């Protein structure tokens, strides 16, 4: 593949707070992104800039002239300040870049990215090199905002901000981004050596004109991860952690340190109609040396062969021994229907976004299965999505649990070595209180893929913590999931659930705070922050968390229940009773998790009859949350001491025997 070097002015832009806007309103987020791109394209054409790539809510571009790059940045910020305002950070640097027809990389790119990370929406930050280029242009004014030591950059860099009446002008030495403490003396940093045979697969950058095609690049990368994860001789970083390094302006050493890998696979995908171009390169993280690179041109029908070739090329370059069984896993074609495959990738893309996006994902997966009923991976993904929809109260469990079981069983009929399908079945049998079948399926999933973080979490929480009360072993599996996915807020959130069930509320709170540092919008981490404060008897803090979460979660029943508990413990029974009434009224118009209503009611005086009424309804609906009531701390003493509580547990333990006799839910 041909490369060439050139000196260029490099610009990064990023829409500040885009993820939070997306959580609140996808329509508003799309409008911001479209306006950002419209202004970008218009002004780059005027100032002779070249947009190299978009990445979700940001962009990377280059200019031959530093002055034109600065003038373009200034003009764009002035336009972004006009209604409808777009909060954009812009960073510029002048440096040497390595360029091929689709990729741009080099130290200059990395430093421009670091400068943008310091940015404040509405400002333009530039490096000292750019500042030197504009000194002879009196109409462009700038001032120093301080000298910063950027991560993995040897020398300190002085950063400047454009000085203009209509720009935001940050105060010197107040900026925070990808920096570290300034070096006072030379010292060698000691890092644990990553295994030689270890890899992180990054999402393929979408080079298509349509930004909505990002699902395809994510999906192809995820399929490569799944193929490689089946090889016991190769350590593969988890999807969630690897996908945090979504942008091209990545620091390979940072990836190696955070994920514990020695190599990274990165690349891009361009899909135009049924034509496909995939470019990939395998890189050593310690020195940036390219072990292998390749470009694949073909039709969409060739995607399966391309994925197999990439996986086999990686194993060859990393000298991973392939048994016949391992080779079969890599080469196995799961469908020959490319339309079904695209729908499957879209389904996985939306399910991975969590929240109500799971419901969108379910629709795409249903369409994929309709096109190819023998598509094992689509059945597996559908089973997992239905299980999550029931678990989080997005759909009535009776409506989706049987679908999950049927699809998981169908997937295993088609391919008996799918770890994910056994995990889905393990969850299903947990939620109908069948301990032997639940454990058998979870252990089979772990046997097939011990590096599947999700099964460690579900086995740890649903089976070991909630069903068995084996908190020590449950915690081990939670810690293993974090080791496999060190940058996943979801892993920290579910680990916090395990710690909470064990009564380790301070440790649960710490896990939530770590998760929120990774993803400030993590619902689960916010939720268990509130629960942790509640059981640490910090009621004011708990109420504050739950009240904030009520708004952003659209009054999700888990949040509403937590708020009622916190209010009752604080002694505000009048408001707690009112909130309980609101929750019951909602349940008349929409599906609300009955178990939550029952638990919340039990925290209020003289409400035990009502509490058992809703808990029994929760059992009839086979709500997954019912599994928690044996050991979780949110069951108050008054409820546990009531004779009806023990009878409820006995009914739950007996229910799986009835189901085993043919009355599947």
């Amino acid at each position: 593949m041909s490369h060439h070097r050139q000196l260029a002015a490099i610009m990064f832009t990023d829409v500040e707070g885009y993820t939070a806007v997306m959580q609140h309103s996808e329509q508003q987020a799309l409008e911001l992104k479209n306006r950002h791109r419209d202004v970008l394209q218009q002004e780059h054409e005027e100032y002779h800039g070249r947009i190299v790539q978009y990445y979700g809510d940001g962009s990377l571009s280059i200019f031959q002239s530093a002055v034109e790059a600065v003038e373009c940045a200034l003009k764009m910020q002035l336009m972004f300040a006009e209604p409808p305002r777009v909060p954009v950070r812009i960073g510029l640097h002048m440096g040497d870049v390595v360029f091929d027809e689709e990729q741009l990389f080099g130290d200059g790119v990395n430093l421009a990215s670091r400068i943008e990370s310091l940015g404040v929406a509405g400002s333009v930050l530039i490096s000292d090199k750019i500042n030197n280029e504009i000194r002879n242009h009196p109409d462009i004014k700038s001032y120093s905002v301080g000298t910063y030591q950027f991560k993995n950059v040897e020398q300190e860099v002085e950063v400047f901000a454009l000085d203009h009446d209509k720009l935001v002008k940050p105060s010197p030495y107040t900026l925070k981004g990808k920096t570290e403490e300034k070096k006072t003396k030379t010292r060698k940093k000691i890092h644990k050596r990553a295994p030689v045979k270890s890899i992180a697969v990054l999402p393929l950058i979408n080079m298509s004109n349509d930004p909505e095609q990002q699902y395809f690049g994510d999906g192809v990368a995820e399929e490569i991860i799944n193929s490689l994860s089946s090889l016991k001789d190769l350590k593969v970083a988890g999807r969630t952690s690897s996908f945090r390094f979504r942008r091209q302006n990545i620091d390979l050493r940072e990836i190696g340190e955070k994920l514990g890998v020695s190599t990274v696979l990165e690349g891009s995908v361009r899909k135009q109609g049924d034509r496909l171009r995939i470019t990939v390169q395998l890189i050593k993280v310690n020195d940036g040396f390219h072990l292998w690179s390749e470009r694949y041109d073909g039709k969409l029908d060739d995607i399966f062969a391309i994925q197999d070739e990439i996986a086999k090329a990686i194993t060859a370059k990393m000298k991973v021994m392939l048994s016949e069984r391992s080779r079969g896993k890599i080469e196995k074609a799961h469908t020959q229907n490319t339309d079904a495959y695209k729908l499957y990738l879209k389904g996985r893309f939306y399910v991975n976004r969590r929240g109500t996006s799971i419901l969108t994902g379910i629709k795409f997966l249903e369409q994929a299965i309709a096109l190819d009923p023998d598509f094992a991976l689509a059945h597996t993904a559908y089973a997992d999505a239905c299980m999550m929809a029931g678990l989080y109260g997005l759909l009535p469990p009776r409506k989706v649990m049987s679908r999950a079981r049927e699809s998981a069983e169908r997937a295993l009929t088609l391919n008996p070595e799918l770890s994910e399908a056994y995990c889905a079945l393990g969850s299903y049998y947990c939620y109908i209180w069948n301990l032997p079948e639940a454990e058998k399926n979870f252990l089979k999933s772990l046997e097939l893929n011990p590096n599947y973080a999700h099964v460690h979490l579900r086995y740890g929480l649903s089976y070991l913590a909630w069903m068995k009360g084996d908190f020590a072993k449950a915690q081990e599996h939670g810690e293993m999931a974090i080791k496999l996915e060190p940058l996943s807020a979801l892993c920290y959130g579910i680990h916090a659930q395990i710690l909470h069930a064990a009564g380790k509320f301070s440790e649960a709170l710490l896990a939530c705070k770590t998760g929120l540092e990774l993803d400030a919008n993590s619902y689960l981490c916010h939720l268990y922050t509130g629960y942790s404060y509640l059981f640490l008897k910090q009621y004011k803090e708990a109420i504050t968390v739950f009240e904030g979460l009520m708004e952003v979660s659209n009054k999700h029943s888990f949040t509403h229940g937590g708020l009622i508990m916190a209010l009752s413990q604080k002694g505000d029974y009048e408001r707690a009773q009112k909130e309980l009434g609101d929750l019951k009224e909602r349940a008349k118009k929409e599906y609300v998790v009955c178990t939550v209503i029952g638990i919340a009611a039990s925290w209020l005086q003289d409400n035990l009859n009502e509490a058992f009424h809703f808990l029994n309804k929760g059992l009839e609906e086979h709500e997954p949350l019912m599994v928690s009531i044996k050991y979780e701390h949110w069951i108050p003493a008054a409820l546990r001491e009531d004779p009806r509580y023990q009878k409820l547990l006995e009914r739950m333990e007996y229910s799986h025997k009835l189901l085993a006799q043919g009355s599947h839910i």
Side-chain angles (χ1 to χ4, degrees):
M1 186 183 303
S2 62
H3 300 86
H4 70 270
R5 291 182 176 274
Q6 69 180 73
L7 186 66
I10 308 145
M11 176 191 293
F12 274 98
T13 71
D14 184 70
V15 180
E16 189 175 82
Y18 182 81
T19 302
V21 175
M22 176 67 81
Q23 295 282 337
H24 177 70
S25 169
E26 290 191 5
Q27 180 61 36
Q28 184 182 355
L30 184 61
E31 290 172 0
L32 282 179
K33 183 166 71 173
N34 288 341
R35 175 158 160 72
H36 170 242
R37 293 191 177 186
D38 289 345
V39 170
L40 205 73
Q41 290 168 2
Q42 175 184 317
E43 299 310 316
H44 273 63
E45 184 175 349
E46 180 178 346
Y47 291 98
H48 310 105
R50 175 178 176 181
I51 301 170
V52 178
Q53 73 174 81
Y54 294 107
Y55 49 86
D57 57 337
S59 70
L60 164 62
S61 56
I62 58 173
F63 297 77
Q64 291 185 349
S65 163
V67 174
E68 286 188 317
V70 170
E71 289 176 337
C72 180
L74 175 58
K75 180 73 175 295
M76 288 195 302
Q77 283 294 31
L78 295 179
M79 294 184 71
F80 289 139
E82 298 293 328
R85 179 179 174 271
V86 185
V88 176
R89 299 194 301 257
I90 300 180
L92 292 156
H93 174 57
M94 191 86 177
D96 194 39
V97 297
V98 182
F99 190 79
D100 64 27
E101 59 190 76
E102 291 186 347
Q103 299 284 335
L104 184 71
F105 45 95
D107 290 341
V109 177
N110 292 332
L111 186 50
S113 159
R114 297 288 190 264
I115 292 168
E116 180 269 311
S117 76
L118 291 176
V120 176
S123 70
V124 177
L125 300 185
I126 61 177
S127 69
D128 46 7
K129 288 189 176 181
I130 291 281
N131 195 63
N132 288 337
E133 295 290 325
I134 65 172
R135 279 182 175 173
N136 295 325
H137 295 265
D139 54 325
I140 306 176
K141 298 178 182 179
S142 65
Y143 66 99
S144 175
V145 290
T147 303
Y148 295 86
Q149 180 69 62
F150 292 108
K151 290 181 179 180
N152 299 315
V153 175
E154 188 63 29
Q155 301 295 327
E156 295 178 2
V157 178
E158 187 172 13
V159 179
F160 295 78
L162 294 191
D163 187 355
H164 189 282
D165 291 342
K166 294 185 179 180
L167 291 185
V168 173
K169 291 182 278 190
S171 301
Y173 292 101
T174 62
L175 304 178
K176 295 180 180 180
K178 297 176 182 177
T179 60
E180 57 188 17
E181 291 184 10
K182 293 184 179 181
K183 300 174 183 178
T184 55
K185 60 181 179 179
T186 303
R187 61 178 186 267
K188 191 172 182 180
K189 208 171 182 180
I190 301 174
H191 298 290
K192 186 177 179 181
R193 183 180 292 274
V196 175
K197 297 178 182 180
S198 56
I199 187 172
V201 179
L202 307 188
L204 300 184
I205 297 166
N206 173 30
M207 302 297 289
S208 305
N209 293 329
D210 180 7
E212 300 307 316
Q213 293 293 329
Q214 183 60 53
Y215 81 89
F216 193 81
D218 284 12
V220 172
E222 189 169 357
E223 289 302 292
I224 294 170
I225 290 172
N226 291 339
S227 291
L228 296 175
S229 295
S230 65
L231 308 178
K232 294 184 179 179
D233 196 26
L234 180 66
K235 176 189 175 183
V236 183
R239 174 208 177 276
T240 304
S241 297
S242 295
F243 276 33
R244 283 185 62 83
F245 298 94
R246 179 174 293 279
R247 301 181 187 176
Q248 187 175 350
N249 54 316
I250 52 175
D251 186 288
L252 296 177
R253 286 169 292 185
E254 182 181 352
I255 294 177
E257 291 168 13
K258 290 189 174 181
L259 301 185
V261 296
S262 60
T263 60
V264 165
L265 183 78
E266 64 174 12
S268 64
V269 58
R270 184 188 298 276
K271 189 167 81 69
Q272 302 281 52
D274 69 340
R275 299 298 302 174
L276 195 65
R277 169 174 289 181
I278 294 179
T279 304
V280 289
Q281 51 248 356
L282 183 65
I283 308 170
K284 289 175 66 178
V285 299
N286 62 341
D287 57 12
F289 180 75
H290 282 56
L291 294 169
W292 166 75
S293 62
E294 189 58 78
R295 188 176 74 200
Y296 301 91
D297 291 311
K299 294 185 177 180
L300 193 58
D301 292 346
D302 302 322
I303 183 60
F304 311 112
I306 292 173
Q307 288 173 176
D308 292 349
E309 283 187 43
I310 293 172
K312 285 188 287 186
I314 291 169
T315 61
K317 291 296 177 183
M318 301 184 70
K319 296 180 172 59
V320 175
M321 295 297 294
L322 287 181
S323 65
E324 285 303 313
R325 182 178 181 184
S326 297
R327 187 177 298 278
K329 287 182 178 180
I330 289 178
E331 296 177 348
K332 184 173 178 61
H334 296 284
T335 182
Q336 293 304 316
N337 188 318
T338 52
D339 288 333
Y341 186 68
K342 285 190 292 184
L343 290 165
Y344 160 72
L345 293 185
K346 280 187 178 180
R348 290 290 296 265
F349 178 78
Y350 280 99
V351 170
N352 285 330
R353 288 170 64 175
R354 296 294 193 264
T356 54
S357 294
I358 292 172
L359 302 180
T360 304
I362 285 175
K363 292 177 182 177
F364 283 121
L365 292 168
E366 286 174 341
Q367 294 173 41
I369 292 170
L371 287 179
D372 184 356
D374 294 335
F375 189 3
L377 288 182
H379 281 289
T380 300
Y382 183 66
D384 189 55
C386 287
M387 199 63 63
M388 283 193 286
L391 175 61
Y392 290 110
L394 300 174
L395 291 171
R398 271 192 176 275
K399 185 176 180 180
V400 291
M401 296 283 276
S402 59
R403 297 183 201 168
R405 175 185 57 80
E406 289 165 6
S407 260
E409 289 176 345
R410 176 63 177 155
L412 291 173
T413 300
L414 295 164
N415 182 355
E417 295 196 348
L418 288 173
S419 172
E420 297 89 340
Y422 283 108
C423 180
L425 279 179
S427 299
Y428 169 80
Y429 285 113
C430 267
Y431 302 146
I432 65 168
W433 210 262
N434 188 334
L435 274 73
E437 285 297 313
E439 183 174 42
K440 182 179 78 173
N441 282 280
F442 279 134
L443 292 180
K444 183 63 177 178
S445 178
L446 284 168
E447 176 193 334
L448 289 169
N449 187 359
N451 295 323
Y452 181 34
H454 207 52
V455 69
H456 285 283
L457 294 171
R458 288 196 182 177
Y459 180 52
L461 177 65
S462 300
Y463 181 79
L464 291 172
W466 281 354
M467 294 186 76
K468 296 284 287 184
D470 189 346
F471 302 118
K473 195 171 180 181
Q475 190 171 335
E476 287 177 10
H477 282 275
E479 290 166 353
M480 175 57 72
I482 290 172
K483 185 177 179 181
L484 293 167
E485 287 277 20
L487 304 183
S488 168
L490 179 66
C491 285
Y492 279 98
I494 296 180
H495 187 50
Q497 288 183 278
I498 293 171
L499 293 167
H500 188 277
K504 297 181 177 181
F505 307 123
S506 296
E507 292 180 42
L509 182 61
L510 184 61
C512 289
K513 288 183 176 179
T514 304
L516 290 170
E517 288 174 4
L518 294 169
D519 179 4
N521 299 304
S522 170
Y523 173 74
L524 202 56
C525 288
H526 278 297
L527 181 68
Y528 272 82
T529 295
Y531 281 133
S532 298
Y533 279 134
L534 171 59
F535 286 91
L536 287 169
K537 299 183 179 181
Q538 295 176 238
Y539 305 127
K540 182 179 178 181
E541 290 83 353
I543 291 170
T544 299
V545 171
F546 288 131
E547 285 179 334
L549 205 53
M550 283 281 281
E551 183 176 350
V552 298
S553 71
N554 194 27
K555 293 186 175 181
H556 191 285
S557 58
F558 293 173
T559 310
H560 213 156
L563 177 62
I564 294 166
M565 296 181 211
L567 289 169
S568 67
Q569 285 300 98
K570 189 173 180 289
D572 192 347
Y573 298 110
E574 183 177 347
R575 186 182 167 197
Q577 195 69 54
K578 178 181 179 301
E579 294 292 347
L580 180 62
D582 290 346
L583 190 59
K584 290 188 293 184
E585 280 300 309
R586 284 175 54 206
K588 295 176 183 177
K589 305 169 188 174
E590 60 189 89
Y591 173 67
V592 173
V593 180
C594 297
T595 308
V596 169
I597 303 176
I599 293 170
S602 71
W603 283 57
L604 293 167
Q605 296 175 348
D606 303 322
N607 266 308
L608 286 184
N609 289 339
E610 189 172 48
F612 279 108
H613 167 73
F614 281 104
L615 289 174
N616 278 299
K617 284 188 68 174
L619 178 58
E620 291 166 9
E621 287 291 330
H622 293 280
E623 291 179 344
L625 194 63
M626 283 295 293
V627 177
S628 72
I629 71 167
K630 187 173 184 179
Y631 292 108
E632 249 298 357
H633 293 268
W634 50 49
I635 302 300
L639 192 72
R640 289 186 188 277
E641 292 166 2
D642 192 294
R644 289 172 290 182
Y645 173 73
Q646 192 59 42
K647 290 181 180 178
L648 183 64
L649 293 182
E650 290 171 1
R651 278 188 64 202
M652 291 171 66
E653 292 175 356
Y654 184 65
S655 65
H656 82 268
K657 297 176 182 177
L658 297 177
L659 292 167
Q661 294 170 6
S663 47
H664 279 297
I665 64 171

